[in-house]
Protein backbone atom coordinates (compact mmCIF):
# COMPACT_ATOMS: atom_id res chain seq x y z
CA UNK A 1 0.00 0.00 0.00
CA UNK A 2 1.46 3.32 -1.02
CA UNK A 3 0.47 6.78 0.14
CA UNK A 4 -1.87 8.45 -2.38
CA UNK A 5 -2.32 11.92 -0.87
CA UNK A 6 0.47 13.56 -2.82
CA UNK A 7 -0.24 15.29 -6.11
CA UNK A 8 1.12 14.39 -9.54
CA UNK A 9 1.08 10.66 -8.82
CA UNK A 10 1.14 8.42 -11.85
CA UNK A 11 1.46 4.68 -12.14
CA UNK A 12 4.63 3.53 -13.81
CA UNK A 13 3.65 -0.14 -13.97
CA UNK A 14 4.88 -1.89 -17.13
CA UNK A 15 7.15 0.94 -18.18
CA UNK A 16 10.07 -1.45 -17.93
CA UNK A 17 10.59 -5.19 -18.03
CA UNK A 18 11.81 -6.73 -14.79
CA UNK A 19 14.65 -9.24 -14.80
CA UNK A 20 15.02 -12.10 -12.35
CA UNK A 21 17.35 -9.93 -10.27
CA UNK A 22 14.59 -7.45 -9.38
CA UNK A 23 13.33 -7.34 -5.82
CA UNK A 24 10.04 -6.45 -4.18
CA UNK A 25 9.02 -3.05 -2.89
CA UNK A 26 9.02 -2.69 0.85
CA UNK A 27 5.62 -2.58 2.51
CA UNK A 28 4.50 1.05 2.64
CA UNK A 29 4.00 0.85 6.40
CA UNK A 30 7.80 0.78 6.67
CA UNK A 31 7.97 4.05 4.68
CA UNK A 32 5.92 6.46 6.76
CA UNK A 33 3.78 9.02 4.87
CA UNK A 34 5.60 11.70 6.91
CA UNK A 35 9.10 10.37 6.24
CA UNK A 36 11.38 13.06 4.84
CA UNK A 37 12.85 12.61 1.38
CA UNK A 38 16.17 10.84 1.04
CA UNK A 39 17.53 11.36 -2.46
CA UNK A 40 19.15 8.14 -3.67
CA UNK A 41 20.41 9.32 -7.06
CA UNK A 42 20.14 12.20 -9.56
CA UNK A 43 20.23 11.92 -13.36
CA UNK A 44 20.03 14.37 -16.26
CA UNK A 45 18.80 13.82 -19.81
CA UNK A 46 17.60 15.81 -22.80
CA UNK A 47 14.01 14.55 -22.84
CA UNK A 48 11.30 13.27 -20.52
CA UNK A 49 11.32 9.92 -22.32
CA UNK A 50 15.04 9.52 -21.65
CA UNK A 51 14.51 10.42 -17.99
CA UNK A 52 11.89 7.66 -17.66
CA UNK A 53 14.31 5.26 -19.31
CA UNK A 54 16.93 6.10 -16.68
CA UNK A 55 14.94 6.41 -13.43
CA UNK A 56 12.38 3.63 -13.85
CA UNK A 57 14.85 0.71 -14.03
CA UNK A 58 17.03 2.16 -11.29
CA UNK A 59 14.11 2.58 -8.91
CA UNK A 60 12.78 -0.88 -9.76
CA UNK A 61 16.09 -2.49 -8.84
CA UNK A 62 16.70 -0.57 -5.60
CA UNK A 63 14.67 -1.83 -2.64
CA UNK A 64 15.17 1.50 -0.87
CA UNK A 65 13.41 3.36 -3.71
CA UNK A 66 9.67 3.81 -3.30
CA UNK A 67 9.20 6.61 -5.90
CA UNK A 68 10.98 9.02 -8.23
CA UNK A 69 10.52 12.65 -9.22
CA UNK A 70 10.91 14.13 -12.70
CA UNK A 71 11.66 17.83 -13.17
CA UNK A 72 12.84 19.85 -16.14
CA UNK A 73 15.80 17.89 -17.51
CA UNK A 74 16.44 15.69 -14.49
CA UNK A 75 15.01 12.86 -12.41
CA UNK A 76 15.81 11.68 -8.89
CA UNK A 77 15.14 8.33 -7.24
CA UNK A 78 13.97 8.74 -3.66
CA UNK A 79 12.97 7.09 -0.43
CA UNK A 80 10.27 8.81 1.59
CA UNK A 81 7.46 11.13 0.53
CA UNK A 82 7.91 14.76 1.60
CA UNK A 83 8.49 17.23 0.13
CA UNK A 84 7.56 17.02 -3.53
CA UNK A 85 10.31 19.12 -5.09
CA UNK A 86 9.76 22.17 -7.28
CA UNK A 87 11.64 22.70 -10.52
CA UNK A 88 14.57 25.06 -9.96
CA UNK A 89 14.00 26.79 -13.34
CA UNK A 90 10.22 27.01 -13.82
CA UNK A 91 9.17 26.85 -10.19
CA UNK A 92 6.59 24.18 -11.07
CA UNK A 93 6.09 21.20 -8.80
CA UNK A 94 7.95 18.11 -9.98
CA UNK A 95 6.06 15.00 -11.12
CA UNK A 96 5.92 12.25 -8.51
CA UNK A 97 5.84 8.71 -9.95
CA UNK A 98 5.21 5.66 -7.78
CA UNK A 99 3.69 2.22 -7.71
CA UNK A 100 0.13 2.41 -6.41
CA UNK A 101 -1.48 -0.76 -5.01
CA UNK A 102 -4.62 -1.26 -2.94
CA UNK A 103 -4.46 -1.51 0.84
CA UNK A 104 -2.85 -4.76 1.96
CA UNK A 105 -1.10 -5.28 -1.39
CA UNK A 106 2.37 -4.47 -2.67
CA UNK A 107 3.93 -4.36 -6.11
CA UNK A 108 5.95 -7.46 -7.01
CA UNK A 109 8.71 -6.35 -9.37
CA UNK A 110 9.27 -9.88 -10.70
CA UNK A 111 5.66 -10.54 -11.76
CA UNK A 112 4.85 -6.85 -12.41
CA UNK A 113 1.55 -6.99 -10.52
CA UNK A 114 0.12 -6.07 -7.14
CA UNK A 115 0.29 -9.03 -4.76
CA UNK A 116 -1.39 -9.65 -1.41
CA UNK A 117 0.82 -9.05 1.61
CA UNK A 118 -0.38 -10.64 4.84
CA UNK A 119 0.39 -9.01 8.18
CA UNK A 120 -0.83 -8.76 11.76
CA UNK A 121 0.04 -5.68 13.83
CA UNK A 122 -2.77 -6.21 16.39
CA UNK A 123 -3.69 -2.51 16.33
CA UNK A 124 -7.38 -2.90 15.42
CA UNK A 125 -10.41 -4.65 16.90
CA UNK A 126 -11.65 -6.52 14.98
CA UNK A 127 -8.30 -7.37 13.37
CA UNK A 128 -9.49 -7.01 9.80
CA UNK A 129 -5.98 -7.03 8.31
CA UNK A 130 -4.69 -10.03 10.26
CA UNK A 131 -4.40 -13.46 8.65
CA UNK A 132 -4.30 -15.22 12.04
CA UNK A 133 -7.09 -16.12 14.47
CA UNK A 134 -7.24 -17.96 17.77
CA UNK A 135 -7.30 -21.72 17.33
CA UNK A 136 -10.38 -23.52 18.60
CA UNK A 137 -8.42 -26.69 19.37
CA UNK A 138 -5.90 -25.34 21.91
CA UNK A 139 -6.33 -24.77 25.65
CA UNK A 140 -5.18 -21.16 26.02
CA UNK A 141 -5.75 -17.83 24.24
CA UNK A 142 -3.28 -15.11 23.35
CA UNK A 143 -3.99 -11.73 25.01
CA UNK A 144 -3.98 -8.43 23.11
CA UNK A 145 -2.12 -5.87 25.24
CA UNK A 146 -0.82 -2.31 25.31
CA UNK A 147 1.95 -1.28 27.68
CA UNK A 148 3.22 -3.55 30.44
CA UNK A 149 2.11 -7.16 30.75
CA UNK A 150 0.21 -8.12 33.90
CA UNK A 151 3.33 -9.89 35.21
CA UNK A 152 5.90 -7.25 34.26
CA UNK A 153 6.84 -6.57 37.88
CA UNK A 154 7.94 -10.19 38.14
CA UNK A 155 10.63 -9.29 35.55
CA UNK A 156 8.92 -10.77 32.54
CA UNK A 157 7.28 -9.58 29.33
CA UNK A 158 7.69 -6.37 27.28
CA UNK A 159 6.91 -2.86 28.48
CA UNK A 160 5.42 -1.82 25.12
CA UNK A 161 4.76 -2.98 21.56
CA UNK A 162 7.55 -3.11 19.00
CA UNK A 163 5.44 -1.02 16.58
CA UNK A 164 2.29 0.93 17.33
CA UNK A 165 0.52 0.41 20.63
CA UNK A 166 -0.54 -3.25 20.77
CA UNK A 167 0.97 -6.71 20.72
CA UNK A 168 -0.16 -10.20 21.71
CA UNK A 169 1.25 -12.35 24.46
CA UNK A 170 0.89 -15.59 26.38
CA UNK A 171 0.51 -14.65 30.04
CA UNK A 172 2.38 -16.89 32.44
CA UNK A 173 0.63 -18.12 35.57
CA UNK A 174 1.42 -20.20 38.62
CA UNK A 175 0.00 -23.64 37.92
CA UNK A 176 0.75 -27.32 38.05
CA UNK A 177 3.45 -28.90 35.94
CA UNK A 178 0.99 -29.13 33.03
CA UNK A 179 2.00 -26.78 30.20
CA UNK A 180 -0.84 -24.90 28.50
CA UNK A 181 -0.42 -23.83 24.87
CA UNK A 182 -2.07 -21.03 22.89
CA UNK A 183 -2.10 -21.13 19.09
CA UNK A 184 -2.81 -18.54 16.42
CA UNK A 185 -3.67 -20.19 13.09
CA UNK A 186 -4.01 -18.78 9.58
CA UNK A 187 -7.45 -18.40 8.00
CA UNK A 188 -6.40 -17.79 4.38
CA UNK A 189 -6.33 -20.20 1.44
CA UNK A 190 -2.79 -19.89 0.14
CA UNK A 191 -1.37 -20.59 -3.29
CA UNK A 192 0.84 -23.66 -3.64
CA UNK A 193 4.28 -22.10 -3.22
CA UNK A 194 6.88 -20.96 -0.71
CA UNK A 195 6.07 -17.99 1.55
CA UNK A 196 8.37 -16.01 3.83
CA UNK A 197 7.28 -15.45 7.45
CA UNK A 198 8.84 -12.84 9.72
CA UNK A 199 7.88 -11.53 13.16
CA UNK A 200 9.15 -9.83 16.30
CA UNK A 201 9.17 -11.80 19.56
CA UNK A 202 9.82 -10.91 23.19
CA UNK A 203 10.81 -13.75 25.55
CA UNK A 204 11.99 -12.29 28.84
CA UNK A 205 11.78 -14.11 32.18
CA UNK A 206 13.49 -16.83 34.17
CA UNK A 207 10.86 -19.45 33.33
CA UNK A 208 10.25 -18.83 29.61
CA UNK A 209 9.00 -21.90 27.76
CA UNK A 210 8.84 -22.15 23.94
CA UNK A 211 7.56 -20.21 20.93
CA UNK A 212 6.89 -22.54 18.00
CA UNK A 213 6.09 -21.93 14.32
CA UNK A 214 4.62 -24.89 12.47
CA UNK A 215 2.40 -25.78 9.55
CA UNK A 216 -0.49 -28.23 9.38
CA UNK A 217 -1.89 -29.84 6.26
CA UNK A 218 -5.55 -30.73 6.79
CA UNK A 219 -5.87 -33.02 9.81
CA UNK A 220 -2.25 -34.20 9.71
CA UNK A 221 -0.02 -33.64 12.71
CA UNK A 222 1.65 -30.19 12.73
CA UNK A 223 5.20 -29.99 11.40
CA UNK A 224 7.54 -27.71 13.41
CA UNK A 225 9.75 -25.36 11.39
CA UNK A 226 11.17 -23.05 14.06
CA UNK A 227 11.36 -23.13 17.87
CA UNK A 228 12.80 -20.63 20.35
CA UNK A 229 13.09 -21.64 23.99
CA UNK A 230 14.17 -19.87 27.17
CA UNK A 231 15.03 -16.33 28.21
CA UNK A 232 16.08 -14.17 25.22
CA UNK A 233 16.56 -10.94 27.17
CA UNK A 234 14.42 -7.88 27.81
CA UNK A 235 14.19 -6.84 24.15
CA UNK A 236 12.18 -7.37 21.01
CA UNK A 237 14.05 -9.83 18.80
CA UNK A 238 13.31 -10.48 15.13
CA UNK A 239 12.86 -13.65 13.17
CA UNK A 240 14.06 -12.21 9.86
CA UNK A 241 12.60 -14.83 7.58
CA UNK A 242 11.34 -18.40 7.66
CA UNK A 243 10.48 -20.22 4.42
CA UNK A 244 7.18 -22.10 4.61
CA UNK A 245 5.72 -24.27 1.85
CA UNK A 246 1.98 -23.55 1.85
CA UNK A 247 -1.04 -24.54 -0.25
CA UNK A 248 -4.84 -24.19 0.04
CA UNK A 249 -5.01 -27.02 2.62
CA UNK A 250 -2.05 -25.95 4.77
CA UNK A 251 -2.24 -23.60 7.76
CA UNK A 252 0.40 -21.56 9.57
CA UNK A 253 0.44 -22.10 13.34
CA UNK A 254 2.16 -19.85 15.91
CA UNK A 255 2.13 -21.48 19.34
CA UNK A 256 3.24 -20.10 22.69
CA UNK A 257 3.70 -22.25 25.77
CA UNK A 258 2.57 -20.87 29.13
CA UNK A 259 5.16 -20.87 31.91
CA UNK A 260 4.32 -22.60 35.18
CA UNK A 261 5.17 -19.53 37.29
CA UNK A 262 4.82 -15.76 36.86
CA UNK A 263 8.16 -15.22 35.10
CA UNK A 264 7.49 -16.51 31.62
CA UNK A 265 5.47 -14.11 29.42
CA UNK A 266 5.97 -14.64 25.64
CA UNK A 267 4.94 -11.84 23.25
CA UNK A 268 4.83 -11.33 19.47
CA UNK A 269 4.29 -8.30 17.25
CA UNK A 270 4.14 -7.35 13.55
CA UNK A 271 3.82 -10.78 11.97
CA UNK A 272 4.32 -10.67 8.19
CA UNK A 273 3.84 -13.30 5.50
CA UNK A 274 5.23 -12.51 2.04
CA UNK A 275 4.23 -14.49 -1.08
CA UNK A 276 7.77 -15.44 -2.09
CA UNK A 277 10.83 -17.21 -0.68
CA UNK A 278 12.89 -15.29 1.87
CA UNK A 279 15.67 -13.19 0.35
CA UNK A 280 19.01 -14.99 0.32
CA UNK A 281 17.49 -18.45 0.65
CA UNK A 282 18.48 -21.22 -1.73
Amino acid sequence: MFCTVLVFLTLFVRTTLCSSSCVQFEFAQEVSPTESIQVLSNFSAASRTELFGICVPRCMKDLRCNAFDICNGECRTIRGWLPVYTDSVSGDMCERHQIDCDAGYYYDRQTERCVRHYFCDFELVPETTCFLLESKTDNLDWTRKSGLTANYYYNTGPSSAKFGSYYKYIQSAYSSSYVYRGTLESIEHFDDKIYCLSLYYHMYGSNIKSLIISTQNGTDAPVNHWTMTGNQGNAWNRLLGLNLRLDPQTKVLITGEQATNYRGDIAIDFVELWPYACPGSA
Side-chain angles (χ1 to χ4, degrees):
M1 180 177 64
F2 287 80
C3 181
T4 58
V5 298
L6 299 177
V7 296
F8 295 104
L9 304 186
T10 60
L11 192 69
F12 63 98
V13 178
R14 304 189 188 282
T15 56
T16 184
L17 295 177
C18 186
S19 70
S20 60
S21 64
C22 290
V23 292
Q24 288 77 16
F25 273 100
E26 288 183 285
F27 186 45
Q29 188 161 334
E30 296 181 12
V31 185
S32 169
T34 60
E35 185 170 327
S36 297
I37 288 291
Q38 174 190 353
V39 177
L40 304 176
S41 56
N42 277 293
F43 303 96
S44 299
S47 70
R48 188 171 180 274
T49 300
E50 288 180 80
L51 290 173
F52 265 93
I54 295 171
C55 269
V56 169
R58 282 169 171 77
C59 190
M60 293 286 281
K61 292 180 181 179
D62 188 345
L63 183 60
R64 299 171 300 166
C65 182
N66 63 279
F68 67 89
D69 287 349
I70 286 186
C71 296
N72 184 29
E74 67 175 5
C75 66
R76 58 176 62 89
T77 62
I78 60 175
R79 176 180 177 84
W81 302 110
L82 300 173
V84 178
Y85 287 101
T86 56
D87 187 272
S88 58
V89 178
S90 67
D92 295 332
M93 187 172 290
C94 298
E95 300 175 18
R96 171 63 51 80
H97 298 271
Q98 66 183 74
I99 296 295
D100 187 10
C101 293
D102 292 336
Y105 287 72
Y106 81 103
Y107 186 73
D108 186 331
R109 305 185 193 200
Q110 291 187 337
T111 62
E112 295 187 302
R113 63 189 179 93
C114 292
V115 179
R116 178 73 182 273
H117 163 266
Y118 301 96
F119 73 97
C120 301
D121 60 9
F122 311 120
E123 294 298 305
L124 301 176
V125 176
E127 297 169 3
T128 55
T129 64
C130 187
F131 68 102
L132 301 168
L133 283 181
E134 295 285 345
S135 172
K136 296 181 180 179
T137 61
D138 58 6
N139 50 25
L140 183 68
D141 283 343
W142 289 77
T143 299
R144 178 175 176 267
K145 191 72 172 71
S146 177
L148 304 173
T149 66
N151 294 327
Y152 183 79
Y153 296 103
Y154 289 97
N155 293 318
T156 188
S159 59
S160 63
K162 175 62 180 179
F163 297 111
S165 300
Y166 291 91
Y167 59 91
K168 281 200 169 181
Y169 82 111
I170 292 290
Q171 182 176 329
S172 55
Y174 189 82
S175 64
S176 66
S177 58
Y178 183 79
V179 177
Y180 290 88
R181 294 176 176 85
T183 297
L184 298 174
E185 62 180 39
S186 61
I187 56 174
E188 302 290 338
H189 292 282
F190 301 111
D191 293 335
D192 186 0
K193 62 181 180 180
I194 294 176
Y195 289 73
C196 182
L197 178 78
S198 65
L199 57 76
Y200 288 88
Y201 61 92
H202 193 289
M203 300 173 67
Y204 174 53
S206 59
N207 196 37
I208 292 286
K209 296 301 183 183
S210 295
L211 178 64
I212 304 162
I213 298 175
S214 56
T215 57
Q216 183 178 27
N217 185 282
T219 58
D220 293 347
V223 177
N224 292 351
H225 298 276
W226 180 87
T227 301
M228 184 62 68
T229 302
N231 187 359
Q232 303 301 312
N234 188 13
W236 283 102
N237 301 290
R238 190 179 189 188
L239 171 61
L240 285 174
L242 177 66
N243 283 328
L244 299 174
R245 168 65 73 174
L246 302 176
D247 59 49
Q249 288 75 47
T250 300
K251 298 184 292 188
V252 179
L253 309 176
I254 300 178
T255 300
E257 295 181 338
Q258 185 184 56
T260 54
N261 67 28
Y262 295 114
R263 295 177 175 85
D265 292 349
I266 294 176
I268 60 173
D269 198 6
F270 205 64
V271 184
E272 296 184 278
L273 187 66
W274 296 91
Y276 54 83
C278 300
S281 60

